[in-house]
């Protein structure tokens, strides 16, 4: 309950030339008194911050889905430039549509949307098309499709843009050395993102979902594998350098099992106190 208390003030009738000035002073006085006694009920919810990885718990049920094969993937070409993400050429191939239909039926068999669900796809054409297929098969209204405009963009692979898909193995070799190594840059607008860069994006996404929903089901639809493997690695506490071991095939579906999330342990810095720094042995 909000409480506002005001106090009256006795002001002598002003002369006409100073009337406007005194009325302003009177208004400022009343405003100051009101704000000083403004109280907010303790029942107001405390805002949640950025999700910690791995999280102590999840408030929602999650399914991770990679969109089916894209037109570019059917040609064996790497395409991660966000400039073209809403282009028809970035949509699902015929094979990709069949893979996505299989994903939608798998989600239905798993009961993902029995009590309704929210579908969060990347705005990338193939991911949004996949979301529409999933919604249609599972009887979900289009109003429950929430397009994500940046956090779920395909990982930008820089100078590998336009190369053959097999070249991704070179990116993963670098990933296995350090999560901060970026692919070589390029000047066509394609980002060159490290694993750590993508990890920041997907952590921000999960923070939004965990704040916006509670005890709901959310289906995350990504245009590529890396968003999902890096997210899953973060959720289960796997070394991010090993994210490619969790690779998602086109159209693959995975349920995020809460039991796979390790029990949260306080970091040593939170429980160990150094009484005589820098000698802390």
């Amino acid at each position: 309950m909000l409480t506002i208390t005001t106090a009256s003030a006795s002001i002598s009738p002003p002369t006409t030339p100073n009337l406007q000035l005194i009325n302003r002073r009177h208004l400022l006085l009343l405003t100051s008194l009101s704000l000083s006694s403004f109280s907010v009920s303790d029942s107001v919810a405390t805002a949640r911050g950025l999700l910690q990885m791995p999280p102590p718990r999840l408030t929602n049920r999650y399914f991770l889905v990679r969109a089916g094969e894209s037109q570019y993937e059917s040609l064996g070409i790497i395409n991660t430039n966000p400039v073209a993400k809403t282009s028809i050429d970035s949509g699902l191939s015929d094979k990709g549509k069949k893979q996505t239909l299989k994903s939608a039926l798998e989600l239905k068999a798993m009961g993902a949307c029995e009590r309704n669900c929210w579908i969060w796809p990347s705005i990338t054409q193939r991911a949004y098309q996949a979301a529409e297929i999933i919604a249609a098969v599972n009887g979900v209204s289009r109003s429950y499709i929430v397009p994500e405009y940046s956090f779920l963009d395909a990982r930008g692979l820089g100078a590998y843009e336009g190369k053959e898909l097999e070249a991704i193995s070179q990116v993963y070799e670098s990933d296995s050395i350090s999560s901060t190594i970026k692919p070589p840059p390029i000047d066509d607008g394609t980002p060159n993102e490290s694993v750590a860069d993508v990890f920041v994006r997907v952590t921000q996404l999960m923070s939004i979902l965990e704040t916006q929903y509670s005890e709901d089901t959310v289906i995350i639809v990504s245009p590529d594998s890396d968003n999902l493997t890096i997210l899953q690695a973060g959720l289960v506490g796997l070394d991010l350098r090993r994210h490619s071991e969790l690779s998602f095939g086109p159209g693959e579906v995975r349920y995020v099992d809460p039991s796979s999330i390790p029990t949260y342990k306080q970091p040593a810095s939170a429980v160990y106190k150094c009484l005589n720094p820098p000698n802390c042995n």
Side-chain angles (χ1 to χ4, degrees), residues 61 63 107-117 138 140 217:
R61 188 170 66 141
F63 292 86
L107 286 164
K108 187 172 184 179
M110 297 169 77
C113 298
E114 282 183 351
R115 293 173 295 173
N116 216 340
C117 62
N138 286 272
V140 177
T217 296

Side-chain angles (χ1 to χ4, degrees), residues 78-95:
I78 294 174
N79 175 250
T80 62
N81 192 327
V83 173
K85 65 184 178 182
T86 58
S87 166
I88 294 298
D89 292 335
S90 295
L92 295 169
S93 66
D94 289 340
K95 181 179 179 180

Side-chain angles (χ1 to χ4, degrees), residues 197-225:
D197 293 331
V198 177
F199 180 69
V200 170
R201 287 201 279 113
V202 295
T203 301
Q204 289 173 324
L205 172 68
M206 290 299 294
S207 298
I208 292 170
L209 296 175
E210 284 290 282
T211 301
Q212 186 165 333
Y213 305 115
S214 181
E215 305 299 329
D216 281 317
T217 296
V218 182
I219 299 173
I220 297 173
V221 186
S222 171
D224 69 347
S225 175

Side-chain angles (χ1 to χ4, degrees), residues 51-56 58 64 195 199-200 202-203 206 226-243 246 256 260-262:
L51 188 73
Q52 178 182 314
M53 290 285 198
L58 291 174
L64 308 181
V195 171
F199 180 69
V200 170
V202 295
T203 301
M206 290 299 294
D226 285 6
N227 283 332
L228 302 179
T229 58
I230 293 169
L231 171 56
Q232 189 172 19
L235 289 172
V236 302
L238 180 70
D239 187 331
L240 293 179
R241 293 174 298 178
R242 299 174 56 193
H243 79 92
L246 303 174
V256 176
S260 69
I261 298 173

Side-chain angles (χ1 to χ4, degrees), residues 46-184:
T46 302
R48 281 174 276 182
L50 194 66
L51 188 73
Q52 178 182 314
M53 290 285 198
R57 62 183 292 270
L58 291 174
T59 61
N60 300 298
R61 188 170 66 141
Y62 293 95
F63 292 86
L64 308 181
V65 182
R66 177 182 172 182
E69 179 190 72
S70 71
Q71 298 279 6
Y72 280 102
E73 288 170 332
S74 71
L75 299 174
I77 298 173
I78 294 174
N79 175 250
T80 62
N81 192 327
V83 173
K85 65 184 178 182
T86 58
S87 166
I88 294 298
D89 292 335
S90 295
L92 295 169
S93 66
D94 289 340
K95 181 179 179 180
K97 291 174 183 176
K98 294 177 182 178
Q99 291 170 332
T100 302
L101 177 59
K102 183 178 178 182
S103 303
L105 292 170
E106 186 175 349
L107 286 164
K108 187 172 184 179
M110 297 169 77
C113 298
E114 282 183 351
R115 293 173 295 173
N116 216 340
C117 62
W118 294 93
I119 305 174
W120 275 61
S122 163
I123 197 62
T124 303
Q125 186 75 358
R126 61 185 176 276
Y128 196 82
Q129 288 177 340
E132 291 183 314
I133 294 172
I134 291 169
V137 170
N138 286 272
V140 177
S141 167
R142 289 173 64 93
S143 62
Y144 282 82
I145 299 177
V146 184
E148 215 308 305
Y149 288 85
S150 59
F151 293 148
L152 280 174
D153 282 357
R155 178 185 178 185
L157 296 180
Y160 288 96
E161 185 75 1
K163 294 188 175 182
E164 295 183 354
L165 286 176
E166 288 74 16
I168 291 180
S169 62
Q170 299 172 34
V171 178
Y172 292 160
E173 287 178 12
S174 296
D175 289 352
S176 67
I177 296 171
S178 172
S179 63
T180 61
I181 296 178
K182 297 174 179 284

